[in-house]
Amino acid sequence: MLNDGNNRAADSCIGEVIDVLERQRKLYDDLLKLSHEKRQVICKGDTERLNEIVQAEVAFLSAINSLEKERLKKVEAVAVSMDTDMGGLTLSKLAELSQEPHRGKLQILQKELNGVLKAQLEINTLNRELLQTQIDHTDVMLNIFVGDEDPLNNIYRDNGSTDSERKQTAGLFDRQI
């Protein structure tokens, strides 16, 4: 617990940390909603909307990064006011050292942030798998149409030598009918 001398300064700093964490949680919530939309867009194959979503994600990540820097500064101020090491000042530890109403707010924020970040990880994994499936499908379809050989880069082998007995497989468009 904090002593009375450090209580006011730490209390103010903890309030600022809570404010930043609440803003971060809001951004993560919005990013999660966007990720769910992204899943639907990937399934539909709407590349134009997918590009828009990716651009929006970049903006969210930039804003989250800025808030993270601000949060670190606020946590450093809390550590100084509590005369403790910033490295060991986790959200759990901060809640433990805080008094009400900050303690309750920090505990709720911790649960909410853990939940939204876990959900974000799950949807990102699913979206990555869906995108990889689409890439694999596109690759198979291209190989059916143009053959296995890359028509722009099939003169040299991997080691740089030419292949005089190069075996060509005809794609759908290169077959004689």
Side-chain angles (χ1 to χ4, degrees):
M1 284 290 179
L2 300 173
N3 63 39
D4 288 338
N6 292 340
N7 193 20
R8 287 186 207 139
D11 195 49
S12 174
C13 293
I14 292 170
E16 292 174 7
V17 170
I18 289 171
D19 177 60
V20 172
L21 288 171
E22 286 173 339
R23 289 185 284 153
Q24 281 184 308
R25 187 207 55 228
K26 172 71 172 115
L27 282 175
Y28 281 123
D29 286 342
D30 292 344
L31 181 62
L32 182 61
K33 289 175 189 172
L34 192 63
S35 295
H36 282 286
E37 181 186 352
K38 184 178 186 179
R39 185 191 73 217
Q40 294 171 348
V41 167
I42 292 168
C43 290
K44 289 178 185 176
D46 184 352
T47 56
E48 186 175 318
R49 179 64 185 138
L50 182 60
N51 285 333
E52 292 171 359
I53 289 173
V54 169
Q55 290 174 2
E57 286 175 328
V58 169
F60 272 110
L61 294 175
S62 176
I64 288 169
N65 188 40
S66 294
L67 279 177
E68 183 62 16
K69 289 177 183 176
E70 183 179 344
R71 185 193 64 81
L72 288 173
K73 288 179 184 176
K74 303 293 183 186
V75 169
E76 184 177 8
V78 169
V80 168
S81 69
M82 291 180 159
D83 196 29
T84 188
D85 178 34
M86 184 178 153
L89 195 56
T90 63
L91 193 51
S92 298
K93 184 71 172 174
L94 185 58
E96 182 182 306
L97 294 172
S98 299
Q99 298 175 4
E100 291 299 338
H102 292 317
R103 177 179 293 158
K105 287 180 182 178
L106 287 168
Q107 290 169 338
I108 290 169
L109 278 168
Q110 182 180 21
K111 288 178 186 174
E112 290 173 348
L113 284 167
N114 284 340
V116 74
L117 290 173
K118 181 180 177 189
Q120 186 68 54
L121 179 62
E122 290 170 0
I123 192 72
N124 283 351
T125 301
L126 177 61
N127 285 346
R128 183 176 26 256
E129 290 170 358
L130 287 170
L131 285 169
Q132 187 59 50
T133 299
Q134 279 202 340
I135 289 169
D136 292 344
H137 174 75
T138 301
D139 191 43
V140 167
M141 297 308 293
L142 283 173
N143 285 336
I144 288 172
F145 287 116
V146 297
D148 292 335
E149 294 288 327
D150 180 358
L152 299 177
N153 193 18
N154 63 0
I155 296 172
Y156 297 99
R157 287 191 197 175
D158 291 340
N159 64 7
S161 65
T162 61
D163 189 0
S164 58
E165 296 179 20
R166 187 171 40 127
K167 184 172 78 174
Q168 292 186 0
T169 57
L172 182 63
F173 294 125
D174 290 337
R175 292 192 178 145
Q176 189 174 21
I177 299 179

